[in-house]
Amino acid sequence: MIAYLERFVPENDSDPVPQDDDNDHHRHDNVLPDSLELHGSAVDLGASAASIASRDFGGMASVQPLALIRPAGADDIARTVRAASATAHLTVAARGNGHSINGQAMADMGLVIDMRCLDPGFFELASGGPCSPPSVVVSGGALWEEVLDWCLKHGLSPRSFTDYLGLTVGGTLSNAGVSGQAFLYGPQSSNVTELEVVTGRGQVVVCSEDENSELFFGALGGLGQFGIITKARILLQPAPDMVRWIRLVYTEFAQFTRDAELLVTLSDGDSFGYLEGFVFVNGDDPANGWPTVPLTLDQTFDPTRLPGTSGSVLYCLELGLNFQAGDRLSEVDSVARRFLGRLRYVEGLEFHADVSYSDFLLRVKRVEQHAKATGIWDAPHPWLNLFVSKASIADFDRMVFKGILKDGIGGPMLVYPLLRSRWDKRSSMILPESGGEIFYIIALLRFTMPYQKGPPAEKMVSQNHEILRTCNQNGLDYKLYLPHYKLQEDWRRHFGDKWAKFVERKSKFDPMAILAPGQKIFPRSSAPGSNAIIDENEL
């Protein structure tokens, strides 16, 4: 997500998720278990009006949980899971900051765990040694902005981030966690060395690459299906003081991707520390066009710099060059010129600003504050996130960016390359099937305005479906990031040759399918103590 969001004046969306009719006749049997003895608290929501635990950031799904659990520690979460396993129908969902889009953090008449209550303020620094970087152990319910703030006080920083830091550590590690540093260090899930996890069996397990490794790699990118991450050891590095924030404009997609791919494949230290990109409309639309590119209010986009052959959409490469406060600006300028001298952007359409490292990483915080003040934050967010192979990215540009989305979406359309070698193939994360080193992330971040006219919610969701149909019909190699499907056969296609391993891990760590019911991957086993979540023939 990029920092011009406050300029958007978007539309509206909704993707109603149908209720599970098979569970309706069980609702009267769902009561808070007597065995739920916690050091924290449980708020019974069974007959109450909709609560915060019944909705998420997406605003497109709403289900009523039975109770909201506020745990005092990992043991409380384990007690909750064991209590649910003693019933026929209860499920358990971990809710961090509620930033899921399609109800993934919900539990219909189940138990929702408020991860923000878990070990608040817990930080444990390990300085590392000659051959190992420093690290910090944090709560799975800590927000990344809280982790950043604590680390900066020690002159350190995590290596990989998300664009928006108001997300919990456990939540992003369960999905991957991607931003502009991922081409260097991989996603956040590639920068953690140890986890504490509560499994679907109600066990508190410490795991790493060398200890309980199957659970460790399963939980990373595992969508919460194998366990709830209660602690994580995160790799750190010395923090810079400042960032030279740069945006460059391109008219041709081939030139944009050539330069982006060049930069992400250069050796570490010979390129920028951050790289993202986005598509924007070739026009003066304040929400979709030229005004979204400049970084400061005193900068303006001069369209006369564009060649006459420019098309309906343009491209922006967004870069970050880290430096220290004591560095001479002339030296920073020299390094920036050396890096930029390799690129073929439109001359006269480059923008830069020097900002503090903290302000750069928290650039979306200002957007959040503005969006909450205007009501956008609480409106539906029909986002669509994909990984697209390098072999298919030009076709995606031609058919989607230049076709379906040529008029914009009222929000950012991110597109930038990542490197497969930075992702651990032992984890649960799914990448495009093409084995090439480079693939792209696409993030269509629609923001809606509840009090302004625009297409109905269903139309915006329908456009997302049209994009996926176009990809499927034309054989594009892609995978959903932050996936959401309603049928298990779609999940099977999503995981491909990793499906059998995914099912095997589910059977081992959550055999009754108690955890993460909002993902709609496995149905809850109705027999307490059952070890079979799926017919053996499915393997």
Side-chain angles (χ1 to χ4, degrees):
M1 191 187 306
I2 39 188
Y4 62 79
L5 294 178
E6 73 273 13
R7 306 185 188 191
F8 293 152
V9 185
E11 299 143 20
N12 207 331
D13 173 47
S14 166
D15 182 13
V17 176
Q19 302 296 319
D20 187 351
D21 294 335
D22 292 338
N23 285 335
D24 287 346
H25 65 283
H26 295 309
R27 290 178 181 274
H28 66 281
D29 295 327
N30 283 344
V31 294
L32 207 57
D34 294 334
S35 59
L36 195 59
E37 299 178 358
L38 306 174
H39 292 105
S41 63
V43 181
D44 192 335
L45 303 172
S48 71
S51 69
I52 189 173
S54 68
R55 53 189 172 85
D56 65 8
F57 180 72
M60 297 178 288
S62 179
V63 298
Q64 183 62 27
L66 178 67
L68 178 66
I69 307 299
R70 297 191 172 114
D75 288 342
D76 269 359
I77 297 177
R79 291 186 188 98
T80 300
V81 173
R82 290 196 297 269
S85 69
T87 72
H89 308 294
L90 279 181
T91 56
V92 176
R95 186 185 193 277
N97 211 18
H99 209 74
S100 58
I101 301 300
N102 292 287
Q104 291 95 327
M106 299 180 191
D108 192 11
M109 288 310 292
L111 308 178
V112 175
I113 297 176
D114 184 357
M115 296 298 291
R116 293 290 292 133
C117 296
L118 184 67
D119 296 325
F122 176 83
F123 295 95
E124 183 178 272
L125 180 65
S127 59
C131 299
S132 61
S135 62
V136 63
V137 179
V138 304
S139 165
L143 299 180
W144 282 100
E145 62 186 48
E146 297 168 343
V147 176
L148 174 65
D149 180 67
W150 189 91
C151 289
L152 288 178
K153 292 175 183 176
H154 295 79
L156 298 167
S157 170
R159 305 196 301 183
S160 191
F161 286 94
T162 48
D163 288 331
Y164 173 57
L165 301 190
L167 308 173
T168 58
V169 169
T172 64
L173 294 180
S174 296
N175 289 281
V178 181
S179 184
Q181 305 85 12
F183 77 96
L184 274 177
Y185 304 110
Q188 290 178 317
S189 53
S190 292
N191 291 275
V192 57
T193 60
E194 184 179 87
L195 301 173
E196 179 186 83
V197 176
V198 176
T199 71
R201 295 179 180 271
Q203 300 169 319
V204 182
V205 181
V206 175
C207 54
S208 66
E209 183 175 6
D210 301 317
E211 179 183 7
N212 300 308
S213 60
E214 191 70 19
L215 179 59
F216 178 72
F217 290 114
L220 294 173
L223 308 177
Q225 289 297 311
F226 314 118
I228 296 171
I229 297 173
T230 51
K231 286 182 182 176
R233 180 178 294 279
I234 300 164
L235 293 175
L236 305 176
Q237 63 184 1
D241 296 324
M242 303 290 293
V243 175
R244 170 72 56 90
W245 190 2
I246 301 170
R247 286 181 178 168
L248 310 171
V249 172
Y250 292 78
T251 60
E252 301 298 328
F253 190 67
Q255 292 286 9
F256 167 78
T257 55
R258 186 204 75 93
D259 282 1
E261 291 175 13
L262 169 67
L263 292 175
V264 301
T265 52
L266 291 172
S267 59
D268 190 7
D270 197 33
S271 185
F272 295 92
Y274 164 96
L275 183 148
E276 290 193 6
F278 60 92
V279 182
F280 63 101
V281 172
N282 188 3
D284 59 2
D285 183 337
N288 298 287
W290 307 325
T292 63
V293 179
L295 288 166
T296 62
L297 293 177
D298 61 342
Q299 295 175 349
T300 57
F301 187 103
D302 181 3
T304 64
R305 296 279 186 172
L306 295 171
T309 56
S310 300
S312 60
V313 299
L314 304 171
Y315 311 91
C316 181
L317 191 58
E318 184 170 51
L319 307 166
L321 178 63
N322 299 332
F323 64 99
Q324 299 302 130
D327 294 343
R328 295 179 179 177
L329 286 182
S330 60
E331 295 175 351
V332 177
D333 293 341
S334 177
V335 173
R337 282 196 300 270
R338 178 164 60 87
F339 290 167
L340 295 178
R342 306 164 175 166
L343 311 182
R344 302 176 185 175
Y345 55 90
V346 178
E347 291 188 12
L349 289 179
E350 63 270 6
F351 305 88
H352 79 267
D354 291 343
V355 298
S356 73
Y357 181 66
S358 176
D359 285 347
F360 178 73
L361 292 177
L362 292 170
R363 60 197 180 279
V364 183
K365 188 73 175 178
R366 176 167 55 92
V367 178
E368 177 188 8
Q369 294 167 347
H370 175 84
K372 285 182 175 179
T374 58
I376 300 174
W377 201 257
D378 295 323
H381 301 89
W383 291 4
L384 180 64
N385 298 271
L386 309 94
F387 293 139
V388 179
S389 72
K390 177 181 176 178
S392 294
I393 195 64
D395 287 334
F396 189 94
D397 170 65
R398 177 175 54 82
M399 291 184 283
V400 179
F401 290 141
K402 290 188 175 81
I404 298 172
L405 303 180
K406 67 181 186 304
D407 296 321
I409 60 171
M413 297 188 287
L414 304 189
V415 51
Y416 56 94
L418 300 168
L419 301 179
R420 186 181 298 267
S421 59
R422 302 291 193 266
W423 297 61
D424 198 312
K425 63 183 180 181
R426 294 170 293 182
S427 73
S428 295
M429 289 166 291
I430 301 299
L431 303 181
E433 294 177 358
S434 169
E437 168 70 344
I438 293 175
F439 64 99
Y440 281 75
I441 184 169
I442 307 289
L444 305 179
L445 309 181
R446 306 172 189 270
F447 274 68
T448 62
M449 189 73 75
Y451 51 80
Q452 187 169 17
K453 280 189 174 183
E458 294 78 7
K459 183 173 181 180
M460 299 183 74
V461 174
S462 177
Q463 190 176 68
N464 286 342
H465 294 165
E466 181 186 0
I467 291 169
L468 296 182
R469 283 195 303 272
T470 298
C471 291
N472 292 330
Q473 291 169 359
N474 290 277
L476 272 61
D477 181 16
Y478 79 95
K479 293 290 184 181
L480 287 184
Y481 175 52
L482 309 177
H484 173 68
Y485 298 102
K486 299 175 184 177
L487 300 176
Q488 195 175 82
E489 63 184 87
D490 293 326
W491 283 109
R492 192 196 319 271
R493 279 193 292 270
H494 172 77
F495 283 103
D497 58 10
K498 277 193 172 185
W499 174 247
K501 172 61 74 174
F502 198 83
V503 172
E504 178 186 334
R505 285 171 170 170
K506 186 70 171 177
S507 297
K508 183 175 182 179
F509 299 115
D510 184 23
M512 295 174 63
I514 291 169
L515 300 178
Q519 296 283 2
K520 299 186 184 301
I521 303 177
F522 300 104
R524 166 71 156 91
S525 169
S526 61
S530 168
N531 286 312
I533 63 163
I534 195 167
D535 190 287
E536 291 182 359
N537 292 328
E538 296 282 357
L539 294 171

